[in-house]
Amino acid sequence: SYLGTETSFRYDDKGQLWLKTEGDMVDIDLFYTVSVIREVELFGEWVPFMRSVSLVKQLDFSRLCTHFSVGVRGILVRDCVLRVSACNSALSDGSLYFEGRSPEQETWCGAQLPERCQGFAFDRMEVLALNARIQFIGPNSQHCKIVCAVDLRLSVPRSLLDFFLKRLVGVFLILWRRHSRQIAENPECKHRRAIDTDTEFYKEFLYPKYLEFLD
């Protein structure tokens, strides 16, 4: 438990570490909460040590593939390709779901993925599974949960790597919540502009579902 978040973990039959973190977003506009996790090209605005991020391909407003890198040059850098899908379940359980993982092939829906580079302190990490749930619990409150399994491809003792991952995933949710609050305080920020620009998702898709939930 840390700063209003709960993080737990388990190992599957193959010994892979799975992590779950969850907590409430209280007095935060739903659209700000969603935009932080959905606008992947703006991850650099709130994710520490984000070196670069780009959109590989977007099929529609609910399916996309992105490439990003995190770390410090000369010490440790990891890049990653991640495809993500969004699913609406507002009427059945008042939730939005985001599901993703690293593609297993060199292409995704016809788009060529960035080449894998390897070298000193550099490698490509793999997201084996990523599932996020934003559950509406009130007009301006949500309960958020993330379940993930990640291979950082680090040559360190497993116990040390797991210790690091268990704390990292909880911090991610705290940063997500903090930046969602900052969006509310800054009407000129990039996330607010993204919400105003992408009317197909936020106004035509998300807003009606939000009203249905409130009703």
Side-chain angles (χ1 to χ4, degrees):
S1 300
Y2 183 66
L3 294 180
T5 65
E6 295 285 340
T7 301
S8 55
F9 68 94
R10 72 171 180 86
Y11 293 91
D12 62 19
D13 295 338
K14 298 180 180 179
Q16 176 63 48
L17 175 67
W18 286 75
L19 297 149
K20 179 179 72 172
T21 184
E22 56 186 314
D24 291 339
M25 306 279 197
V26 181
D27 296 327
I28 301 175
D29 191 306
L30 167 69
F31 298 90
Y32 303 157
T33 301
V34 173
S35 69
V36 173
I37 198 69
R38 180 179 184 272
E39 301 298 332
V40 295
E41 291 183 291
L42 299 180
F43 275 11
E45 298 292 310
W46 63 283
V47 178
F49 306 111
M50 180 66 68
R51 295 179 51 83
S52 65
V53 58
S54 61
L55 189 64
V56 176
K57 184 172 183 177
Q58 181 167 338
L59 292 181
D60 48 43
F61 61 70
S62 64
R63 293 176 295 172
L64 57 83
C65 183
T66 185
H67 174 250
F68 61 89
S69 64
V70 295
V72 179
R73 181 180 293 277
I75 299 178
L76 178 67
V77 177
R78 289 292 181 269
D79 79 331
C80 181
V81 179
L82 177 66
R83 62 105 184 129
V84 183
S85 300
C87 178
N88 165 54
S89 186
L91 290 183
S92 59
D93 66 355
S95 300
L96 294 175
Y97 291 90
F98 295 86
E99 177 276 333
R101 63 170 297 144
S102 295
E104 298 178 352
Q105 307 298 324
E106 297 301 318
T107 61
W108 183 77
C109 296
Q112 184 67 39
L113 303 184
E115 294 185 4
R116 178 190 296 269
C117 297
Q118 292 179 304
F120 175 72
F122 189 95
D123 203 346
R124 175 163 293 176
M125 64 182 182
E126 301 289 335
V127 177
L128 306 176
L130 173 65
N131 298 278
R133 178 188 185 186
I134 301 175
Q135 183 179 22
F136 314 157
I137 57 177
N140 291 295
S141 298
Q142 310 92 45
H143 182 80
C144 296
K145 180 187 298 184
I146 302 171
V147 178
C148 64
V150 180
D151 181 1
L152 290 178
R153 295 186 180 273
L154 287 177
S155 300
V156 298
R158 182 62 184 265
S159 59
L160 179 62
L161 177 61
D162 290 355
F163 177 85
F164 171 75
L165 284 172
K166 291 172 189 176
R167 282 144 187 83
L168 179 64
V169 69
V171 172
F172 184 87
L173 182 56
I174 293 170
L175 294 173
W176 179 7
R177 181 173 56 200
R178 184 176 69 180
H179 195 68
S180 299
R181 291 188 183 278
Q182 292 175 349
I183 294 175
E185 300 168 359
N186 184 7
E188 302 300 324
C189 70
K190 294 180 181 179
H191 281 89
R192 291 281 283 271
R193 292 199 294 269
I195 293 173
D196 294 338
T197 301
D198 191 356
T199 57
E200 183 181 14
F201 178 80
Y202 291 101
K203 185 177 181 180
E204 299 175 13
F205 172 78
L206 183 57
Y207 187 61
K209 305 298 183 296
Y210 177 62
L211 293 180
E212 290 172 350
F213 166 76
L214 294 181
D215 289 342

